[in-house]
């Protein structure tokens, strides 16, 4: 009896020890989320991807989505410094820090989020990854959403004089340069303040993705839209994980997450953005937003006026990478080839 009791105790202790080891073996990455919890970046991108990571690693890696541990522009440093383990953010929130990523923000590239994102990722990996702009973290993916177009209360871009002097909210330095070049007055502010600003007349419009205008219910205050082919600019976005947290993973778990990251992630996340853009087209039409396509001599005038944006980027990017010009040429060529690959209009 005593031996039997001792055996049961030993088995129980062994089982408890195994459970404790399993609990210790699970890695929990803290994801700092600065977006509303219902935003599609969270519900349709991050959370499904996190669930796939947990499944692929057989539960050894779990991603816990937490309320923001800092302001949106701070998220790269939060991850780099280990305050958060993993985060999503926007490169333009920290102007001039990620100069090479501005490649994907240039005007007149492509309207299609997946085309732009795949061309961008392939170019960046080939030419710019070695520059280590995301030092202290591991870059799991970078991509863009739909293009910025001009939305206004009343001023359609029929001539540059038609928009001269109006106040425009800008989301970053690239768009700020474009705004000034076209004679408008840039107002820098968080997107969270945009609805109040446009509804109160503090601003008369903004360069913004179609999806965002719909999502933030701003169509009634900006019923006029002016579109250029390939957009006035784009938003470069990314997902990074702390380098030490990445290195601490078992090799099999790193391999499993790598299969869900890189170009797979880029295509996956950009596909969500493109679906939102397609739906926004329908909703803008239903809301009665009047779209003015910019074309002909005016389009050529804009291309000439805004050529300096690319030229300035080449100079600044060239200081970080001697491959800047080659990368730009390949990026534009890839936009054409990826469009054919996907069978979509660029």
């Amino acid at each position: 009896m005593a031996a039997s009791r001792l055996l049961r105790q030993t088995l129980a202790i062994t089982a408890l020890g195994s459970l404790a080891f399993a609990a210790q073996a699970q890695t929990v990455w803290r994801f700092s989320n600065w977006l509303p919890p219902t935003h599609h970046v969270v519900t349709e991108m991050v959370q499904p991807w996190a669930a796939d990571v947990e499944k692929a690693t057989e539960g050894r890696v779990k991603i816990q989505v937490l309320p923001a541990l800092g302001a949106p522009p701070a998220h790269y440093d939060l991850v780099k410094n280990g305050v958060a383990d993993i985060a999503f953010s926007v490169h333009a929130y920290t102007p001039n820090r990620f100069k090479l990523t501005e490649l994907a923000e240039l005007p007149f590239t492509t309207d299609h989020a997946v085309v732009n994102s795949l061309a961008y990722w392939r170019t960046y990996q080939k030419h710019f990854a070695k520059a280590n702009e995301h030092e202290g973290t591991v870059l799991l993916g970078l991509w863009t959403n739909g293009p910025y177009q001009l939305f206004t209360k009343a001023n359609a871009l029929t001539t540059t004089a038609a928009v001269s002097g109006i106040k425009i909210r800008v989301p970053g330095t690239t768009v700020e340069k474009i705004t000034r070049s076209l004679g408008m007055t840039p107002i820098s502010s968080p997107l969270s303040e945009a609805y109040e600003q446009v509804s109160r007349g503090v601003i008369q419009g903004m360069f913004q993705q179609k999806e965002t205008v719909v999502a933030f219910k701003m169509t009634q205050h900006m019923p006029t839209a002016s579109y250029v082919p390939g957009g006035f600019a784009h938003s470069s976005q990314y997902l990074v994980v702390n380098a030490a947290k990445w290195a601490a993973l078992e090799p099999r778990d790193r391999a499993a997450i790598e299969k869900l990251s890189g170009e797979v992630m880029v295509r996956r996340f950009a596909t969500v953005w493109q679906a939102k853009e397609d739906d926004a087209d329908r909703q803008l039409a239903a809301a009665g937003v009047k779209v003015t396509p910019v074309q002909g001599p005016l389009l050529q005038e804009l291309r000439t006026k805004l050529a300096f944006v690319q030229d300035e980027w080449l100079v600044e990017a060239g200081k970080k990478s001697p491959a800047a010009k080659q990368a730009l040429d390949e990026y534009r060529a890839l936009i054409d080839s990826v469009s054919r690959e996907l069978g979509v209009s660029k």
Side-chain angles (χ1 to χ4, degrees), residues 199-242:
S199 63
R200 292 174 51 201
V202 176
I203 58 175
Q204 285 77 52
M206 63 185 74
F207 286 101
Q208 196 56 256
Q209 291 95 355
K210 294 176 260 184
E211 171 277 330
T212 303
V213 172
V214 170
F216 282 75
K217 305 185 187 307
M218 293 186 284
T219 54
Q220 63 176 317
H221 300 295
M222 296 188 299
T224 304
S226 305
Y227 293 176
V228 299
F232 286 95
H234 295 77
S235 172
S236 174
Q237 305 168 1
Y238 64 97
L239 194 71
V240 288
V241 63
N242 177 270

Side-chain angles (χ1 to χ4, degrees), residues 46-91:
V46 173
Q47 289 177 335
W49 180 81
D52 287 348
V53 166
E54 187 169 358
K55 181 178 179 181
T57 60
E58 299 177 323
R60 291 184 297 276
V61 180
K62 179 179 176 64
I63 297 172
Q64 181 183 19
V65 178
L66 300 174
L69 301 176
H75 272 64
Y76 172 77
D77 284 322
L78 290 176
V79 173
K80 179 180 178 180
N81 298 328
V83 178
D85 300 319
I86 183 171
F88 155 86
S89 197
V90 178
H91 286 111

Side-chain angles (χ1 to χ4, degrees), residues 10 27 31-32 36 54 64 87 111 115 129 152 189 193 201 257 268 299 310 314 325 335 340:
T10 301
T27 296
F31 184 100
S32 178
E54 187 169 358
Q64 181 183 19
D111 293 323
V115 169
T152 54
S189 65
E193 297 176 10
I257 296 171
R268 176 178 184 170
L299 177 59
Q310 177 176 298
L314 279 171
K325 180 62 168 66
I335 287 173
R340 292 192 297 271

